[in-house]
Amino acid sequence: MNFSPETFLNKIAQTSPSPFLLSIERAEGIYLFTPEGRRYTDLISGIAVSAVGHRHPKVVQAIKDQLDRHLHVMVFGEYIQSSSNQLAEKLASVLPGTLNCSYFVNSGTEANEGALKLAKRFTGRTEIISCKKSYHGSTHGSLSVSGNEVKKSAFRPLLPDVKFIEFGNPDDLNQITSFTACVIMETVQGDAGVRIPSREYLQAVRKKCNDTGTILILDEIQCGMGRTGKLFAFEHFGIVPDILTIAKAFGGGLPIGAFIADKKMMQTFTHDPMLGHITTFGGNPVCCASALATLNVIEEEKLLSQAEAKGKLFEDCLKHPAIKEIRRIGLMFAIDFDSAEKVSAIVNKAKEMGVICYWFLSHPNSFRIAPPLTISEEEIRESCAVILKAIDNS
Ligand SMILES: Cc1ncc(COP(=O)(O)O)c(C=O)c1O
């Protein structure tokens, strides 16, 4: 084993000046364990990934079973493999009829890259509309449609023909026209600090896209897979996207994403040019097996119906005069304070006390909570008691 901070800091690429620096030897359920045997409660699920907890036994078993059959055998889209077939069937069975065809990739940003290309290819248009404060990933295309200027300016030129509208503002929807290839939007904005749109707004977006022949891409990479109390967040709002993107919790702890659309639309990747979107590892059989087991666990353990009550319990327990606002849907939270310094102090104090909360990319005055959906009521009460103490002592 090598838990050397020197190796980590010098031999592994760094992305922040002050990484969290927690050494993890093992993880189980909602807990992370250090090499010294210290236990931490994971209230962020590796940023909305471990929805069914760490190393759920059924997920681990499905991975082991697939390991015994085969690993990678071919690039995406050529060989028939049972694990990706089963996963695609499962997704089609839980999604509305028009979302019947899955393209598996390796991450969230890749899912959005594929979705943007598909929308351009299908419509023959180039203009993309996204939202201010959005986050869609870190590769060039996804970064181009992300709304945080600070994160983008060093990497220009990015994709041309991208416009930004204000998330939640119906007046901006008139920018969507018959020149627009697609609108890409998080159903619930995550890294902007959990921004929950109104039902009317999303329905107006849907209508405007219908009226102009624009493809609506909903990015549920963070808010999907049960996080909000529905398997897909769009179910709260009475709309269906033309393309859905998922990743993070989808894989149950292994890397897999997908963009999902109607077969007729997806079929455009097969010609003019053929191989219109390709990936070597997308649909990796072990990741597919893990994703299928994860979906089954969410269903079998009835995690969707519990998310709202558990979220409410968190909210009820987290009463403190220093908390300015809590924005929440299901088990996806932003907790606001009056300064970034206060937030930083609380996150660090909670960590010292054994509970992991974390920051947002674009909203420094809040911290996030996105625990495994499997967290128990007792664990919620215990974690909240620690957070309240951390607020008092920071
Ligand atoms: C809404 C949303 N879209 C896309 C991404 C990018 O996903 P990945 O980090 O897997 O590329 C993220 C990651 O945080 C996200 O929250």
Side-chain angles (χ1 to χ4, degrees):
M1 297 262 192
N2 178 350
F3 290 104
S4 154
E6 286 72 35
T7 305
F8 177 79
L9 291 171
N10 296 313
K11 301 277 179 352
I12 292 181
Q14 299 297 304
T15 56
S16 90
S18 49
F20 215 66
L21 285 183
L22 200 63
S23 300
I24 304 301
E25 188 183 51
R26 196 164 63 78
E28 204 79 54
I30 67 158
Y31 297 111
L32 307 171
F33 298 89
T34 68
E36 298 77 33
R38 175 132 200 239
R39 190 182 84 169
Y40 287 86
T41 303
D42 182 4
L43 291 191
I44 54 165
S45 309
I47 313 295
V49 169
S50 315
V52 298
H54 295 277
R55 297 186 72 255
H56 191 289
K58 289 190 172 160
V59 174
V60 170
Q61 191 57 50
I63 292 170
K64 286 182 176 166
D65 291 347
Q66 182 57 41
L67 290 180
D68 286 339
R69 287 190 288 264
H70 63 91
L71 306 182
H72 175 89
V73 286
M74 187 49 170
V75 297
F76 181 77
E78 294 296 321
Y79 290 178
I80 302 170
Q81 298 175 49
S82 178
S83 59
S84 47
N85 260 7
Q86 287 183 68
L87 181 59
E89 284 285 4
K90 180 76 193 175
L91 283 168
S93 77
V94 295
L95 280 163
T98 48
L99 296 173
N100 51 38
C101 184
S102 295
Y103 194 124
F104 297 122
V105 291
N106 308 288
S107 64
T109 196
E110 281 178 73
N112 286 334
E113 296 285 350
L116 294 171
K117 280 177 69 182
L118 182 60
K120 287 168 80 173
R121 170 67 185 84
F122 185 70
T123 59
R125 304 175 186 174
T126 55
E127 182 184 86
I128 298 172
I129 293 195
S130 182
C131 290
K132 294 174 186 167
K133 300 191 176 160
S134 60
Y135 181 70
H136 295 292
S138 204
T139 52
H140 269 84
S142 301
L143 185 64
S144 304
V145 299
S146 292
N148 183 334
E149 193 48 42
V150 178
K151 297 278 189 297
K152 292 200 301 191
S153 52
F155 304 103
R156 291 193 183 284
L158 294 169
L159 270 186
D161 235 358
V162 181
K163 286 186 184 161
F164 288 88
I165 59 174
E166 197 184 324
F167 186 64
N169 181 353
D171 296 340
D172 278 7
L173 298 182
N174 58 15
Q175 296 198 46
I176 304 168
T177 69
S178 56
F179 293 102
T180 314
C182 61
V183 171
I184 181 166
M185 199 171 258
E186 294 158 87
T187 314
V188 172
Q189 281 194 332
D191 285 306
V194 183
R195 306 288 159 180
I196 305 152
S198 70
R199 193 179 165 88
E200 294 69 39
Y201 175 71
L202 282 188
Q203 293 198 350
V205 173
R206 178 67 275 181
K207 180 166 186 321
K208 190 73 188 179
C209 288
N210 289 347
D211 292 348
T212 55
T214 298
I215 299 298
L216 176 59
I217 303 171
L218 287 181
D219 173 343
E220 298 221 358
I221 287 158
Q222 191 170 145
C223 63
M225 309 314 296
R227 173 68 36 210
T228 66
K230 304 265 189 203
L231 190 53
F232 301 103
F234 66 75
E235 296 171 46
H236 289 283
F237 302 97
I239 59 158
V240 176
D242 300 302
I243 308 178
L244 173 71
T245 61
I246 53 175
K248 285 190 178 273
F250 178 41
L254 289 192
I256 182 168
F259 57 102
I260 306 168
D262 190 87
K263 177 72 181 172
K264 283 195 252 0
M265 192 188 304
M266 205 66 96
Q267 200 63 10
T268 55
F269 276 152
T270 62
H271 55 96
D272 306 325
M274 66 178 278
L275 304 175
H277 193 71
I278 50 177
T279 163
T280 298
F281 283 123
N284 176 277
V286 183
C287 300
C288 285
S290 179
L292 178 63
T294 303
L295 272 162
N296 288 336
V297 167
I298 292 174
E299 221 168 67
E300 286 159 18
E301 299 190 6
K302 302 191 172 25
L303 297 178
L304 301 178
S305 57
Q306 298 166 28
E308 176 53 32
K310 288 178 179 177
K312 174 89 173 38
L313 179 59
F314 261 108
E315 208 174 327
D316 290 345
C317 292
L318 287 176
K319 298 275 187 240
H320 194 286
I323 296 177
K324 296 289 162 227
E325 188 185 341
I326 296 183
R327 284 179 301 287
R328 175 184 77 80
I329 179 164
L331 276 166
M332 181 175 185
F333 293 79
I335 304 182
D336 282 8
F337 293 83
D338 56 15
S339 73
E341 292 68 35
K342 181 77 179 165
V343 167
S344 204
I346 295 166
V347 169
N348 286 323
K349 182 57 78 179
K351 176 184 171 193
E352 248 174 70
M353 297 167 75
V355 168
I356 308 296
C357 308
Y358 204 68
W359 298 273
F360 288 98
L361 286 177
S362 312
H363 202 257
N365 281 20
S366 324
F367 67 80
R368 69 168 87 225
I369 294 181
L373 307 178
T374 50
I375 192 168
S376 71
E377 285 189 10
E378 196 186 340
E379 289 163 340
I380 293 173
R381 288 182 205 283
E382 283 168 10
S383 312
C384 289
V386 172
I387 293 173
L388 292 177
K389 259 194 220 147
I391 299 175
D392 281 337
N393 292 302
S394 49

